[in-house]
Amino acid sequence: MKTENEPLSTQDSLQIIVTMIQQAKGNVQRDSFYFLLWGWVIALANIGHYVILKFTAYPRPYIVWLVAIPAYAVTLIYGYRQGKKQISRTHLDKVSAILWIGFGVSVPVIILFGERINYNINPIILLMAALPTFISGILINFRPLLIGGVLFWVASIVSFMVPYEFQYPLMAITIILGYLIPGYILKKSK
């Protein structure tokens, strides 16, 4: 066993890196719950918003987004319980958590000040979701999330160019492809 002052061999250093990546990948696999929960919530809310907006006379189609409040509570409770169970957290886990917390703090700010941009927030949220999704894919070397991040960037650009009401089905499709499919693949991977 090496002492604290002895330098690590190349093989030992490589093994530590591989172990950290595998540990982070295992933690993210457990956290596929978040991709699945938020993927379903956001996809269904977008579809609901579109259906109410397009096919009813109800003046407040955004009411469907109230489903995010219990989802947020579930996220907090689940995260707290998982944090108590987790034996070790790697630096990659911490970077990933900080990225997603930053995204989670930014979205309500966009919604709060959405009136200033006529509530045309879907392209901005897609743009912001791209970064933590893409970086999560890089951190755990998981191509479906990396592709999901790129898909969010592309959908953001398209969303800026389509009429307002069509942003909702576009975002729903993007969430299904960028969160739900990678989330289920991640959940099934060992």
Side-chain angles (χ1 to χ4, degrees):
M1 183 165 169
K2 301 233 182 243
T3 64
E4 196 172 309
N5 295 333
E6 288 183 52
L8 293 173
S9 70
T10 305
Q11 185 63 28
D12 290 340
S13 297
L14 186 59
Q15 184 58 44
I16 289 171
I17 292 168
V18 168
T19 302
M20 277 183 62
I21 290 170
Q22 291 305 322
Q23 174 73 34
K25 191 178 276 192
N27 292 345
V28 173
Q29 284 170 337
R30 287 189 299 277
D31 293 343
S32 66
F33 169 82
Y34 298 113
F35 288 107
L36 298 176
L37 172 68
W38 285 104
W40 281 111
V41 167
I42 295 168
L44 292 174
N46 272 287
I47 291 167
H49 192 133
Y50 176 74
V51 167
I52 293 169
L53 181 69
K54 198 73 172 160
F55 302 108
T56 73
Y58 188 69
R60 294 176 186 87
Y62 52 82
I63 196 79
V64 298
W65 289 97
L66 290 176
V67 73
I69 295 170
Y72 183 70
V74 168
T75 298
L76 291 175
I77 292 166
Y78 181 83
Y80 175 75
R81 288 183 178 166
Q82 287 300 107
K84 288 178 78 173
K85 290 180 188 176
Q86 197 166 2
I87 297 168
S88 66
R89 287 185 53 154
T90 68
H91 292 295
L92 297 177
D93 292 328
K94 292 174 188 173
V95 168
S96 181
I98 289 167
L99 276 168
W100 286 105
I101 289 169
F103 174 71
V105 169
S106 299
V107 169
V109 171
I110 292 170
I111 293 167
L112 184 65
F113 293 101
E115 183 179 19
R116 294 182 179 250
I117 55 172
N118 199 26
Y119 292 102
N120 192 15
I121 62 175
N122 279 348
I124 296 166
I125 291 174
L126 284 167
L127 183 65
M128 290 181 47
L131 190 61
T133 305
F134 184 80
I135 291 176
S136 293
I138 290 172
L139 289 176
I140 64 168
N141 195 23
F142 188 62
R143 183 166 287 209
L145 274 181
L146 198 137
I147 293 169
V150 171
L151 181 63
F152 282 125
W153 277 314
V154 170
S156 174
I157 293 167
V158 172
S159 191
F160 274 116
M161 296 186 292
V162 300
Y164 172 75
E165 67 268 11
F166 295 116
Q167 292 177 5
Y168 294 99
L170 174 64
M171 189 166 183
I173 292 166
T174 305
I175 292 295
I176 290 167
L177 297 173
Y179 276 178
L180 286 176
I181 291 174
Y184 280 112
I185 293 170
L186 195 57
K187 184 177 179 179
K188 289 181 181 182
S189 67
K190 299 292 179 196

